[in-house]
Amino acid sequence: MSNNNTTTTDTKGRCLVLLPLPFQGHLSPMLQLANILHSKGFSITILHTSFNSPNPNNYPHFNYVPIPDTSEANLCVSSDDVGKVIRFMHDVNINLVDPIRGCLERLMSEDKGVACLITDAQWSCTQSVAEGLKLPRIVHRTSNISSFRSFAAYPASHDKGCVQSISDEETKSKALVPGLESLKVEALPKFHAYDAEVVSKVIERMVQATKRAHAYFATSSSSLLEQDKTSLSWLNKYPPKSVLYVSFGSIVKVDESQFLEIAWGLANSKQPFLWVVRPRSIEGSEWLEPLPNGFLDRIVEGRGYIVKWAPQQDVLAHPAIGGFWTHNGWNSTLESICEGVPMICSPSFGDQIPNARHVSNVWKIGVELEHRFKRREIESAIKKVMVDDEGLQLRNKIIDLKQIASFCLKKGGSSYSSLEDLVNYILSF
Ligand code: UDX
């Protein structure tokens, strides 16, 4: 790999094809990466499914190529049901292999050709396609490297039965992953109650295809939903670090009793809060129907504001925000660190579990709820993170981490250099 500084003359006109997974937490970071690579002079083609296709108006300087829909796979997805999302990833990796190969062959035969294919890690089928076409493939992962380690351990643990067979929670909390003794079984990514065979296959294929691709991990607006900007004007009336921001990302769902525990935990904490409740994210409800009558006006006395979808990065950067109650999707976790906001962690599935463990136990910049949604525990976690002396250390620690993160993004910093290296690496093909 060359370490020379790149110029746009080297990159000009060289075409990169990027294939995102069509879910919010995967689409946004890939389009951001595409934008950075475009600023380095590459021409960008986004290959995309018809489901959740990106809006070309947000990035008019890219070319867009839809994958022809020859199967039903693209149509039968609901983005707010994890089981269906996993089934979708399983199915598209079988049904869309030929259409993807066809698109790539066509793009490669055009004048500009294709310098390299960059796909989300979950597009595991594209590794064989790329190998067949002798096209370099770079894998873009939207979760962190330590969670990759636990994903890599997942299929073996599943085959040996160590994930399913331990029913006793206490034994499970002490059991170690075979071959990776520093990792406890309880820290493995979890996908409760979904088809275990499909989960294991999807993970194993992703891990194998990632290991076969070029070992690179890289890190505007690409919101699939409309962001409610009134969130920001509402925050303007609050003093610094006084408001808790609550959001569980684009996929997590809760049932009605969990939703009510969240609502009462927020109310009882007496802290102001901005709460994102996605439509249909409460099982059996369209939106806020289960909320007690007069919740915002009478019960929380105007200290709360609920929106369907917020401009999250702007919200986290707002001086009024003093805490983030999150599901610990990797984007949300990074965004919180970059803005120096301490977290309350309620992971739900997958990499969110190891992410939350790192935030609370390793980096000590947040607290993890033991029972996820119990009003008393919620109330005391909010007080600890936002106001109590007990939380002072973690509030100081996240400020240190914010500074470190901002150094990483500056010239000479590790993220900055990684992107430079990535550009040089692509140019070396
Ligand atoms: C999914 C998985 O759940 C997660 O575990 C994995 O790490 C990435 O893919 P998601 O659940 O959507 O992601 O969470 P997250 O990674 O946090 O991404 C959510 C994105 O939506 C963030 O970039 C956040 O800024 C944005 N968002 C969220 C909004 O713009 N507005 C909102 O109201 C809520």
Side-chain angles (χ1 to χ4, degrees), residues 24-26 28 142-143 223 227 245 247-251 276 309-313 327-333 335 349 351-352 355:
Q24 187 73 72
H26 293 254
S28 301
T142 52
S143 46
S223 194
Q227 299 181 322
Y245 172 59
S247 166
F248 304 122
S250 61
I251 299 177
V276 176
W309 192 247
Q312 179 161 306
Q313 281 170 282
H327 69 310
N328 287 112
W330 187 235
N331 294 291
S332 295
T333 307
E335 288 160 10
F349 65 86
D351 65 320
Q352 298 157 16
N355 294 344

Side-chain angles (χ1 to χ4, degrees), residues 398-409:
I398 187 104
I399 298 298
D400 294 343
L401 212 54
K402 174 186 173 166
Q403 263 197 328
I404 294 171
S406 88
F407 286 139
C408 293
L409 298 173

